[in-house]
Amino acid sequence: MMIILKGDSFRMAQCVLVLSLLLLVQLQSSFESTDAPNVNDGGWGMDFNMEDEGECNIEIRDVNSITYTEFINEYAYTKPVILRGLTDNSNFRLLCSKSHLLREYGEKTVRLSTANTHSYQKVDVRFEEFVRFLLTPQSEDALGSDTLYFFGDNNFTEWHSLFEEYKAPPYSLPYMSPAYSFGIAGPGTGVPFHWHGPGYSEVIYGRKRWFLYPPEQAPEFHPNHTSLSWVSLSYPNLELHQRPMECTIRPGEVLYFPDRWWHATLNLDTSVFISTFLG
């Protein structure tokens, strides 16, 4: 038997059909957003983040506005600079998505360091355990010795296939060779003030706030207090002449710091990053 709808009954059936289709599309998109990682954050999530990026008083140079000779003469030995567009690391960025790293390295052991100035303690855990349980926002009252940080102590044999896809900044220093340090950290974490040789820092996902002082201007800080604690308690009370050079870097930007410059970092989001140390 065929039922023929006329007038109001036909229009009502049309409305029901349209609403049903809209509901189906909405349900499908919600399932897709749950299963698929966000392309912009690599699946690392930006649910918890810090809004205050601070000021930026470090020079920013586009790759088209600076030559290697200018880099050497104006920055390499004298002051930090942020360089934009140096390399295209879009492929490396894809490989650093949360799903890919868990799939490739989830069972691998990574070494975590305490986030105090001297990084005294080392803890070995499975990479998946670190991501699932330890990659959390930083509490302001936590001590550096109680905060575990994944950065620097990478097994280059196991992670070699990832690192070989990274395109390092092309501006090298005479008689120096590069060494990579790869890291992942939650919002509010960071490394307190310390110094070492020159190098570059690039953010793959997230944002990282940097604070720097020249070698002759050692900042006042407690070696076991976190960067978050320093920013919250000490930074607002600094007089003008005590203020650091600072800026927040994002994907596509590379910060260069010269030899022996004091620096501290604060991750504003869950951040994936890599440093190229020159030595």
Side-chain angles (χ1 to χ4, degrees):
M1 180 177 64
M2 181 182 295
I3 299 176
I4 300 176
L5 299 176
K6 296 182 180 180
D8 293 339
S9 298
F10 179 73
R11 285 190 290 272
M12 182 177 295
Q14 282 185 313
C15 291
V16 171
L17 178 60
V18 170
L19 290 173
S20 298
L21 288 173
L22 289 174
L23 179 61
L24 180 61
V25 170
Q26 185 176 7
L27 287 172
Q28 182 179 2
S29 62
S30 67
F31 281 120
E32 288 175 350
S33 64
T34 300
D35 297 336
N38 187 313
V39 174
N40 294 324
D41 65 15
W44 293 103
M46 301 296 171
D47 295 336
F48 299 95
N49 56 51
M50 304 180 65
E51 296 298 328
D52 187 9
E53 295 188 352
E55 65 172 316
C56 183
N57 54 19
I58 299 175
E59 290 183 49
I60 300 175
R61 300 289 299 269
D62 186 87
V63 66
N64 297 318
S65 70
I66 186 173
T67 65
Y68 174 67
T69 300
E70 289 175 323
F71 169 76
I72 292 294
N73 292 337
E74 297 181 27
Y75 304 104
Y77 305 103
T78 56
K79 59 183 177 180
V81 63
I82 294 172
L83 303 168
R84 286 179 175 166
L86 272 186
T87 55
D88 179 8
N89 273 306
S90 54
N91 185 54
F92 182 74
R93 179 177 166 86
L94 290 174
L95 296 176
C96 289
S97 68
K98 183 177 181 179
S99 59
H100 183 269
L101 289 183
L102 284 174
R103 183 169 61 251
E104 296 294 321
Y105 304 101
E107 297 301 317
K108 306 296 185 183
T109 298
V110 294
R111 175 158 292 180
L112 310 179
S113 303
T114 50
N116 48 356
T117 294
H118 304 292
S119 297
Y120 293 109
Q121 185 181 358
K122 306 287 184 181
V123 177
D124 292 340
V125 300
R126 286 171 54 248
F127 179 67
E128 183 178 10
E129 292 179 6
F130 165 70
V131 172
R132 301 294 188 198
F133 305 114
L134 299 176
L135 190 60
T136 56
Q138 174 75 62
S139 170
E140 185 176 316
D141 57 359
L143 294 175
S145 57
D146 298 328
T147 304
L148 294 174
Y149 201 70
F150 173 45
F151 177 61
D153 290 296
N154 310 121
N155 186 319
F156 284 91
T157 301
E158 294 183 336
W159 293 74
H160 175 73
S161 61
L162 177 66
F163 294 150
E164 67 180 2
E165 294 296 327
Y166 177 66
K167 296 179 181 179
Y171 295 163
S172 60
L173 300 186
Y175 311 110
M176 289 192 175
S177 55
Y180 299 148
S181 287
F182 179 73
I184 304 172
T189 63
V191 177
F193 282 105
H194 63 289
W195 60 265
H196 44 68
Y200 295 94
S201 175
E202 181 170 358
V203 171
I204 309 304
Y205 291 108
R207 297 167 299 155
K208 184 183 288 285
R209 189 174 174 185
W210 276 76
F211 308 89
L212 302 104
Y213 287 97
E216 67 277 7
Q217 189 180 350
E220 294 185 11
F221 67 99
H222 191 291
N224 198 31
H225 287 179
T226 63
S227 294
L228 180 59
S229 174
W230 183 84
V231 170
S232 301
L233 303 177
S234 300
Y235 177 85
N237 299 317
L238 295 176
E239 296 185 16
L240 187 61
H241 70 279
Q242 297 175 311
R243 294 271 175 158
M245 296 185 70
E246 63 174 289
C247 200
T248 295
I249 61 172
R250 302 168 185 80
E253 299 176 332
V254 177
L255 182 140
Y256 169 79
F257 51 89
D259 186 27
R260 295 177 180 268
W261 272 65
W262 290 93
H263 55 277
T265 60
L266 180 66
N267 298 295
L268 303 184
D269 311 297
T270 297
S271 302
V272 181
F273 46 92
I274 187 168
S275 292
T276 304
F277 296 117
L278 304 175

